[in-house]
Amino acid sequence: MTKSDLPLSRPFAAVEPGGALHCGKVSLESLARRHGTPLYVYSADQILERLGLFQRALNGREHLICYAVKANSALAILKLLGTHGAGFDIVSGGELERVLAAAPEAVGRVVFSGVGKTAAEMDRALEAGILQFNVESEGELELLAARARKLKRVARFALRVNPDVFADTHPYISTGLREHKFGIDIRRALDIYKRVANNRWLEAYGISVHIGSQIRSAEPFGAAVERVSKLVQQLRRAGIELRVIDAGGGLGIDYHATHFDAAAKVAEYAAALETSLGGFGGTLLIEPGRFLVAQAGALVSRVVNVKRNGRKTFVITDAAMNDLIRPALYQAHHEIVPVRPQAGRAQAVDIVGPVCESGDFFARDRKLAPLAPGDLVALLDAGAYGMAQSSNYNTRMRPAEVLVEGNKARLIRRRETMADLLAPEML
Ligand SMILES: *Cc1c(COP(=O)(O)O)cnc(C)c1O
């Protein structure tokens, strides 16, 4: 296959050669005029296409795809995924409330991860009837047992084990080594399951593992699940039969390439999991976040000013690190494209926001076609960990969000107002 035969990795492209950028059939220029900038634009069609890739790849066995809400927690996106059969991986009581608001019928498909669940969060999740608590310490398991007894509701739990597998990714988003705060040492898990086997308020339901995020190779996922499968067999011999192996999330995308074969990536990932599951006959649960939503989203921003300082040219946009922090936080790369390409020689520029921090940049020394004040640019692959990690730093109002389905675009979150920002404060 040549490069150009591969499917486009993103829904953002010109509808005619050399023309302006669209999301599917919808013009980004018209969306920017209508809703202002900075503006997050997401393709519902691509999100569903990605969900479908996982669903088909895992078709051969019982499975559940629990979207990791923290990647993008927009209610409309949760509803879209819930309606199409997804469950949810949540990491806070707040995310549970989002699922209850957007897709209440999916609450039985929710798994609750995270190292610091409070008693109040556990109570709410027990009462809502979630599928499984992914428990990260013995102390947490004790607290869960106490809350379950108090509420007279059996808590289905999985131990999140730490498989001591190295995943090659940014150190801030690697989680599967013993030195990390996540999970329980896999060598201790057998004893813990045995110790609580007779607790009538705890049901040993599954086992979970999550080794990190933005992992590009299928190999470490296979290695982690293989270790977990061995433990499941040991547990079985001890009379403890688990129903779920939760392989976590973390499958990465290609932030650089214009052509990326997502279907092949998912197939490779599913095959690695399948091989490692051995004879396990229960449910395979996965928790993809980024892979489902990252490439479906772009942050559309307007150039405010172009400034020269000595030899450097700075393109200052109306979007900033508070809207999309990934470049500042993880040195992450985002492709940046002019929405309507202008003729002229490409030039190396820094694309920066107006926030008072030198870390407020989207790209450095990036070769881009000429840009002038008023032009629009799209920061691609911004659908995951973009809006979800946004803030009001510098008293900036967070962007509006639009969801595109077919040839229709719908506002799913209005731009914040100054009144929204001041509301919680008192003099
Ligand atoms: C963040 C997270 C995920 C999702 O990770 P992605 O890299 O977005 O797929 C899944 N499970 C857990 C426990 C997480 O913390």
Side-chain angles (χ1 to χ4, degrees):
M1 225 180 340
T2 68
K3 210 175 155 190
S4 59
D5 293 334
L6 286 171
L8 275 179
S9 28
R10 310 181 176 105
F12 299 93
V15 289
E16 59 219 46
L21 212 59
H22 284 57
C23 176
K25 297 192 177 69
V26 176
S27 145
L28 294 182
E29 285 177 335
S30 68
L31 290 178
R33 267 197 305 273
R34 173 130 188 240
H35 301 289
T37 53
L39 178 70
Y40 274 103
V41 180
Y42 310 112
S43 161
D45 302 324
Q46 183 175 81
I47 294 172
L48 292 183
E49 190 185 303
R50 291 280 165 105
L51 177 65
L53 291 180
F54 283 109
Q55 287 169 331
R56 282 191 296 282
L58 301 180
N59 219 353
R61 67 157 61 238
E62 260 324 287
H63 68 269
L64 180 59
I65 298 156
C66 289
Y67 168 63
V69 172
K70 75 171 188 282
N72 186 323
S73 53
L75 294 180
I77 290 177
L78 301 185
K79 182 171 177 185
L80 178 76
L81 287 164
T83 307
H84 289 82
F88 298 98
D89 170 52
I90 60 169
V91 291
S92 72
E95 288 188 351
L96 175 59
E97 299 305 326
R98 284 187 172 273
V99 171
L100 291 172
E105 73 288 352
V107 73
R109 303 195 293 269
V110 167
V111 299
F112 195 166
S113 303
V115 292
K117 302 174 195 78
T118 65
E121 287 175 320
M122 288 177 179
D123 288 0
R124 181 78 170 133
L126 282 166
E127 271 163 351
I130 68 162
L131 180 66
Q132 166 180 301
F133 289 84
N134 288 354
V135 171
E136 302 220 11
S137 68
E138 285 173 81
E140 188 192 330
L141 191 58
E142 271 170 41
L143 181 60
L144 181 62
R147 300 321 301 174
R149 199 177 83 205
K150 178 116 202 247
L151 298 179
K152 301 202 167 23
R153 298 213 177 216
V154 173
R156 287 175 291 273
F157 77 94
L159 293 187
R160 171 170 174 185
V161 295
N162 189 322
D164 203 29
V165 164
F166 176 71
D168 188 15
T169 184
H170 191 281
Y172 289 4
I173 51 177
S174 172
T175 58
L177 287 178
R178 231 166 260 148
E179 68 202 64
H180 296 134
K181 71 178 174 185
F182 299 98
I184 292 172
D185 190 332
I186 192 163
R187 298 166 302 182
R188 303 217 47 243
L190 182 65
D191 279 345
I192 300 171
Y193 277 109
K194 281 185 185 162
R195 202 161 50 70
V196 298
N198 295 321
N199 187 321
R200 59 175 293 210
W201 301 107
L202 292 176
E203 179 184 351
Y205 194 74
I207 185 159
S208 86
V209 68
H210 173 74
I211 54 174
S213 195
Q214 183 51 11
I215 298 165
R216 303 282 308 283
S217 142
E219 200 266 335
F221 295 108
V225 168
E226 197 175 315
R227 289 180 195 185
V228 164
S229 302
K230 289 211 176 97
L231 182 57
V232 169
Q233 284 165 24
Q234 279 181 296
L235 283 161
R236 191 173 199 177
R237 286 193 290 273
I240 297 166
E241 187 97 38
L242 298 184
R243 298 214 225 157
V244 167
I245 290 182
D246 176 348
L251 186 60
I253 58 151
D254 191 334
Y255 281 93
H256 292 265
T258 42
H259 292 83
F260 166 65
D261 194 343
K265 198 78 218 158
V266 171
E268 181 197 348
Y269 170 75
L273 297 186
E274 192 56 49
T275 310
S276 311
L277 282 170
F280 179 68
T283 300
L284 170 63
L285 193 152
I286 58 170
E287 305 167 350
R290 185 191 315 268
F291 202 89
L292 289 175
V293 295
Q295 301 201 284
L299 176 58
V300 179
S301 174
R302 208 174 277 285
V303 174
V304 176
N305 201 354
V306 179
K307 166 173 172 175
R308 287 181 187 85
N309 258 3
R311 285 176 15 256
K312 283 195 82 90
T313 301
F314 295 94
V315 173
I316 303 165
T317 59
D318 65 2
M321 65 188 288
N322 72 295
D323 305 304
L324 177 66
I325 203 173
R326 297 189 67 261
L329 189 58
Y330 314 116
Q331 294 81 47
H333 174 93
H334 285 270
E335 285 293 321
I336 300 174
V337 288
V339 168
R340 184 175 287 278
Q342 304 295 339
R345 216 161 54 97
Q347 191 196 353
V349 296
D350 283 18
I351 312 280
V352 303
V355 162
C356 299
E357 301 254 352
S358 293
D360 183 25
F361 64 88
F362 293 125
R364 286 184 163 150
D365 294 320
R366 186 76 62 86
K367 273 213 140 168
L368 286 183
L371 284 167
D375 289 354
L376 291 170
V377 291
L379 286 85
L380 302 181
D381 304 333
Y385 306 106
M387 186 64 172
Q389 289 192 321
S390 65
S391 76
N392 296 119
Y393 188 40
N394 276 215
T395 305
R396 289 171 50 87
M397 288 145 271
R398 279 178 294 179
E401 297 178 290
V402 163
L403 186 65
V404 175
E405 303 181 80
N407 56 9
K408 290 209 173 58
R410 180 160 67 88
L411 188 68
I412 58 169
R413 180 185 164 112
R414 65 162 171 79
R415 186 173 307 283
E416 280 174 344
T417 63
M418 202 52 225
D420 292 331
L421 265 63
L422 293 183
E425 295 190 36
M426 41 233 128
L427 278 170

